[in-house]
Amino acid sequence: MAPTKLGARSPLMEAAVGFALGAVAGCILGATEDPVDETLSVMTTADSLKPVMEEARKVGALGLGALIGATALTTAMTSVVAGVILAAAVASVFVATKSCGASHINSVGLWASAGLAGAFGTTLSGATLGVAIEWIVKNYSMMGLLYALSIFTVLKPPLHFVFKLLWKQGESYCTLGPTFRAREREQIEIIESQQRQRVAVEIEQRILMLEKGGSISGTEQRTLWTTEQRQRVEMERQKMESEEAEIKQRTIQDWINTVVVKYVDFLAFSGIPMTVVAIVTSGFGVFGYGGHQSVFIVLLALVGVIAYLLLNSSDFKFWMLVGCMGMLTTFVIAMLTLHAGQVVVTTAMKMRAAGQGQSRENITARMNHQSSLEALNAAFFVAKLCELGLGATVGGPLVRRAAGEVKVIAGAALVALGLLAGVEVFAPVLGGGGKAGALLGVVGAAGVSVGAAAAVAGRWSSWQGTLGTIAGLVIGALGVGKWHIVNIGLQVPVAYVFAMTNPF
């Protein structure tokens, strides 16, 4: 659907409304900053880093960074897709059971139920994956995480075909709406037939009355004609409303099916490129070549070939774009992890030259610690950007489909705020990994609001409205986020780019 301008307002009014909408989205984005930072601080304490540091020797710095990066991105992608699928299922059931007339399609109930289901599904999925990853690392080390990630990646393509079959079966099973339409059409046809029979009987009665010498007054004729005309108009109106509602119901159901198909494909295939990079990089680390120069050549060649094949595809899809971005991001995280360890070596060499020598064991321990710290910091930040961006790909299209910018922005912000409070309440039960995954889900819900605000910024009829929305978004995020200029300065452009992307 081509984007249309918002309703005509004065430039000053557009700027004020845009600033208010942008501020709502910016405030919920800023509200996620402190909880995420606190969780990351807990994850990077000495006790939490110990399992990761112990495995850094096995897979090497490159393998560690690639593995943690791929795992974090897979968690973010999976949780978003889980939320979208759950929201689509709830919306599909709502459309079918409510017979979805024009009032139902744009009702608060449809978007509220779908939004709550999506946000809850994203948060719950993120918390579940976070708990699972923490358990795997503690019990089976990083190699167990590598095996789990590999198995999950291999199972996703066949499971995606199974899910499509189940979705079609569920869609055919949940056909209350079309059944209702058939009954409604049948009832209208019966009423219309009865009306025709009644008119025919009345005409016959008039003819018999005239034949018997009776007469019908003009007032009585006009009254009868007016009544019949009103009944015919009412019947035509009901038929038109039924046909219009059926068309709208079919349209929104087709859109829901398109969303499900696209996101299931995205979940099934987008993680393959970065998982391949993580497996190859970890393999080199296991055999002791984690930092060898030849590894860079192999990895660059591998990344280049995969990116070329995907980007050069004649049937380019959204999952290919995000798959390439995830693969490149995984590679960058691996480079940052390796660089963090090399910085320790460089510092030790300078200290030795200054006469402050250190033991090899101490240097190795510091390298592993710094590499693990950098891997977790970079991977978690990238996962947060991924979650925010994928949330924006939901909020942007919703606004462009005229779902209501106020409903999407304010609704998503309120849901994210409620989830944020819920995560804090259940933090002792969730643990470190569960809380981290749940917070990623909250960031995804906030991304819906931010993406919607970004889409609104591009739909105003004046530059004042656009600038006002952007200013509200940035000021709200910085103010509530306690002026985390670097973090928010990176998140807002990412959300804008993803909000303008049409994955369908």
Side-chain angles (χ1 to χ4, degrees):
M1 181 180 291
T4 56
K5 296 295 182 182
L6 293 175
R9 295 185 178 93
S10 66
L12 185 60
M13 180 62 68
E14 286 188 355
V17 173
F19 183 87
L21 293 176
V24 171
C27 287
I28 191 59
L29 175 62
T32 63
E33 284 296 300
D34 279 348
V36 169
D37 288 347
E38 291 173 3
T39 303
L40 184 58
S41 299
V42 173
M43 293 174 60
T44 53
T45 57
D47 292 338
S48 301
L49 280 178
K50 187 176 295 184
V52 181
M53 291 172 56
E54 291 175 354
E55 296 301 318
R57 301 182 182 91
K58 293 183 179 179
V59 296
L62 278 176
L64 180 67
L67 181 56
I68 293 180
T71 303
L73 289 173
T74 300
T75 301
M77 293 177 182
T78 304
S79 61
V80 168
V81 175
V84 170
I85 291 175
L86 184 59
V90 171
S92 182
V93 172
F94 190 97
V95 168
T97 56
K98 295 296 184 180
S99 65
C100 204
S103 60
H104 288 119
I105 287 179
N106 295 317
S107 69
V108 175
L110 173 61
W111 299 113
S113 58
L116 286 172
F120 178 77
T122 299
T123 305
L124 182 61
S125 175
T128 304
L129 290 172
V131 171
I133 291 170
E134 186 178 20
W135 181 81
I136 291 173
V137 171
K138 287 183 177 180
N139 293 275
Y140 298 98
S141 72
M142 297 298 292
M143 293 305 298
L145 183 61
L146 177 61
Y147 295 144
L149 179 63
S150 303
I151 294 172
F152 183 57
T153 304
V154 171
L155 289 179
K156 282 192 296 183
L159 287 177
H160 120 280
F161 291 107
V162 174
F163 178 84
K164 283 186 176 181
L165 293 176
L166 293 176
W167 178 265
K168 289 181 180 179
Q169 184 178 0
E171 183 187 0
S172 62
Y173 177 76
C174 188
T175 54
L176 299 176
T179 303
F180 178 86
R181 293 296 172 203
R183 290 199 302 266
E184 189 179 36
R185 284 194 300 268
E186 184 178 354
Q187 291 175 357
I188 292 175
E189 291 175 358
I190 291 174
I191 295 174
E192 192 174 11
S193 176
Q194 291 175 349
Q195 184 180 3
R196 286 196 298 266
Q197 292 176 0
R198 186 173 61 253
V199 171
V201 170
E202 291 176 355
I203 292 175
E204 291 179 0
Q205 291 176 350
R206 294 175 191 176
I207 293 174
L208 290 175
M209 185 181 296
L210 292 174
E211 289 178 351
K212 292 179 180 180
S215 63
I216 302 176
S217 65
T219 303
E220 185 178 357
Q221 288 183 356
R222 285 193 297 272
T223 302
L224 292 173
W225 183 86
T226 303
T227 301
E228 294 171 2
Q229 181 70 15
R230 185 170 59 252
Q231 291 176 347
R232 285 196 298 269
V233 171
E234 180 65 19
M235 189 62 58
E236 290 296 328
R237 184 186 65 80
Q238 292 180 2
K239 289 175 63 177
M240 290 181 61
E241 287 183 353
S242 178
E243 293 175 357
E244 181 182 358
E246 186 175 0
I247 292 173
K248 289 183 177 181
Q249 181 186 23
R250 191 182 305 114
T251 300
I252 194 171
Q253 186 62 54
D254 291 342
W255 185 67
I256 291 172
N257 294 337
T258 301
V259 170
V260 171
V261 170
K262 295 293 184 182
Y263 274 94
V264 170
D265 289 344
F266 167 73
L267 176 61
F269 304 114
S270 61
I272 295 177
M274 61 186 180
T275 303
V276 170
V277 172
I279 292 173
V280 172
T281 309
S282 300
F284 278 111
V286 169
F287 289 102
Y289 295 97
H292 200 272
Q293 292 182 354
S294 60
V295 177
F296 295 101
I297 300 175
V298 174
L299 288 179
L300 285 174
L302 179 64
V303 170
V305 169
I306 295 177
Y308 175 80
L309 293 176
L310 291 178
L311 297 177
N312 201 39
S313 174
S314 58
D315 185 20
F316 188 76
K317 298 180 180 180
F318 178 66
W319 73 261
M320 297 180 180
L321 173 62
V322 181
C324 287
M325 295 173 64
M327 176 183 61
L328 293 172
T329 302
T330 301
F331 180 74
V332 170
I333 294 174
M335 294 295 105
L336 291 174
T337 305
L338 179 64
H339 176 70
Q342 290 177 341
V343 169
V344 174
V345 175
T346 303
T347 304
M349 293 175 62
K350 292 181 180 178
M351 293 177 64
R352 179 175 297 178
Q356 301 176 2
Q358 297 183 23
S359 65
R360 182 181 297 272
E361 291 77 11
N362 188 20
I363 295 174
T364 303
R366 289 180 55 201
M367 287 178 60
N368 293 334
H369 177 270
Q370 197 63 31
S371 297
S372 302
L373 185 64
E374 185 65 31
L376 283 175
N377 280 322
F380 198 75
F381 180 73
V382 168
K384 183 172 67 171
L385 286 181
C386 177
E387 195 90 18
L388 180 70
L390 292 177
T393 61
V394 177
L398 282 178
V399 170
R400 289 194 292 271
R401 287 190 65 89
E405 55 275 359
V406 176
K407 286 187 288 187
V408 177
I409 295 174
L414 288 175
V415 170
L417 187 62
L419 290 174
L420 190 61
V423 170
E424 293 297 330
V425 171
F426 291 100
V429 179
L430 295 173
K435 184 179 179 182
L439 283 176
L440 287 179
V442 175
V443 172
V448 176
S449 183
V450 176
V456 168
R459 296 179 69 237
W460 291 115
S461 58
S462 67
W463 281 105
Q464 290 87 340
T466 300
L467 294 176
T469 306
I470 296 174
L473 179 61
V474 174
I475 293 175
L478 290 175
V480 178
K482 297 182 180 178
W483 299 95
H484 292 176
I485 297 176
V486 176
N487 288 348
I488 294 174
L490 290 173
Q491 292 177 58
V492 171
V494 168
Y496 177 80
V497 171
F498 274 86
M500 297 297 105
T501 302
N502 185 11
F504 314 124

